[in-house]
Amino acid sequence: MRTALLQSSGRPGSVVENLKILDEAAGRAAASGAALLVAPEMFLTGYAIGDEIGRLAEPADGDCADAIAGIATRNGLAVVYGYPERDGEIVHNSAQLISADGTRLANYRKTHLFGGFERDHFTPGEQPVVQAELNGLTVGLMICYDVEFPENVRAHALAGTDLLVVPTANMHPFELVAESMIPVRAFENQLYIAYSNRVGQEGEFEFFGLSTLAGPDGVHRTRAGRTEQLVLADADPAFLAASREANPYLKDRRPGLYGSLG
């Protein structure tokens, strides 16, 4: 499945402009044969927008979800995007997958919040594995810091995730995550990882880009630089099956030895 990664911080604070940017990127991605477009963490509103997070937060089935469903159907591809999700009085840092026919397939709430900024504005989610079937692949959702916990990714591998989609807002000096950790996570868990980062300066944060789609062989299929870009690569089910046969990490596990890991 051809997957497009939108590396952009959009226009922080302007939902209208970010929807326009997403629509334009969806058109370019579809023209290049993509079946899935992945936008970064909090792409809908911007990340470093302080108390505007609460004001702009919407339910998972809100007006913006409807707008993005329109983008997906108009361009004929599925879309994953990050946004602040309102659930009553609380707000989650969430990511949602909408299919090419506009159906809301999956909604994930970030389980591991990074730093004081996120803990001040969000409530962590409690469901570590959220999946949906898309074009013959089992797609899992995760957000940024979540992927840095090996237990999280292993839970997805054990649940059968083929392509782990990770909208991201990672910042300097943590380039090691995109450069080294993501391909290692993909290899040790025998799945694809699509890691789509923000880029540029937002308030106190300097997002470094380096978005990537890493394969189960630990090799980057595509790699963005440090500017706004749209990059594409394929998640190949046949290659994944062959790689899992050749690298039987999950089969060779001995869970009885790991009981002390709490």
Side-chain angles (χ1 to χ4, degrees):
M1 178 171 66
R2 181 150 296 177
T3 301
L5 309 178
L6 173 59
Q7 179 167 287
S8 171
S9 288
R11 303 296 177 266
S14 178
V15 171
V16 171
E17 288 301 314
N18 292 332
L19 287 172
K20 289 179 182 177
I21 293 168
L22 190 64
D23 195 6
E24 187 273 337
R28 286 192 287 141
S32 297
L36 172 65
L37 171 65
V38 183
E41 180 177 3
M42 292 286 287
F43 182 78
L44 185 63
T45 61
Y47 181 92
I49 57 173
D51 290 340
E52 287 290 279
I53 289 173
R55 185 181 70 82
L56 296 174
E58 284 195 5
D61 60 354
D63 291 342
C64 288
D66 290 342
I68 293 172
I71 290 171
T73 56
R74 185 163 54 252
N75 292 286
L77 81 175
V79 177
V80 172
Y81 66 100
Y83 74 108
E85 179 195 353
R86 178 164 295 286
D87 182 9
E89 295 301 312
I90 63 176
V91 176
H92 297 284
N93 183 338
S94 296
Q96 185 150 228
L97 167 61
I98 296 179
S99 72
D101 66 5
T103 302
R104 294 175 48 245
L105 294 180
N107 188 69
Y108 171 78
R109 296 167 172 176
K110 190 173 186 178
T111 55
H112 296 74
L113 302 180
F114 178 78
F117 177 83
E118 290 193 8
R119 288 191 288 269
D120 286 345
H121 290 93
F122 300 110
T123 297
E126 297 296 332
Q127 186 174 354
V129 177
V130 173
Q131 300 168 310
E133 297 302 311
L134 185 68
N135 290 29
L137 293 175
T138 300
V139 175
L141 297 179
M142 198 173 277
I143 300 174
C144 197
Y145 194 40
D146 291 326
V147 79
E148 298 177 37
F149 293 82
E151 303 90 343
N152 255 14
V153 185
R154 180 51 54 88
H156 268 274
L158 294 175
T161 293
D162 300 314
L163 171 62
L164 183 59
V165 175
V166 189
T168 294
N170 206 348
M171 58 206 70
H172 180 77
F174 303 113
E175 285 88 344
L176 172 72
V177 175
E179 293 171 342
S180 300
M181 185 181 290
I182 295 304
V184 169
R185 286 280 181 275
F187 179 70
E188 69 189 2
N189 289 287
Q190 287 300 294
L191 42 69
Y192 286 94
I193 299 180
Y195 187 82
S196 185
N197 199 12
R198 303 179 72 85
V199 68
Q201 194 77 32
E202 287 184 53
E204 63 183 289
F205 306 113
E206 181 189 348
F207 300 113
F208 58 71
L210 303 180
S211 299
T212 187
L213 193 148
D217 53 358
V219 175
H220 297 284
R221 295 297 189 274
T222 187
R223 162 58 67 79
R226 295 173 183 264
T227 61
E228 294 204 351
Q229 290 177 261
L230 183 72
V231 296
L232 298 97
D234 294 328
D236 181 353
F239 183 87
L240 179 61
S243 182
R244 286 172 170 172
E245 185 66 27
N247 299 282
Y249 285 127
L250 301 185
K251 295 178 184 176
D252 290 346
R253 292 170 64 251
R254 297 181 62 193
L257 299 179
Y258 317 142
S260 63
L261 300 177

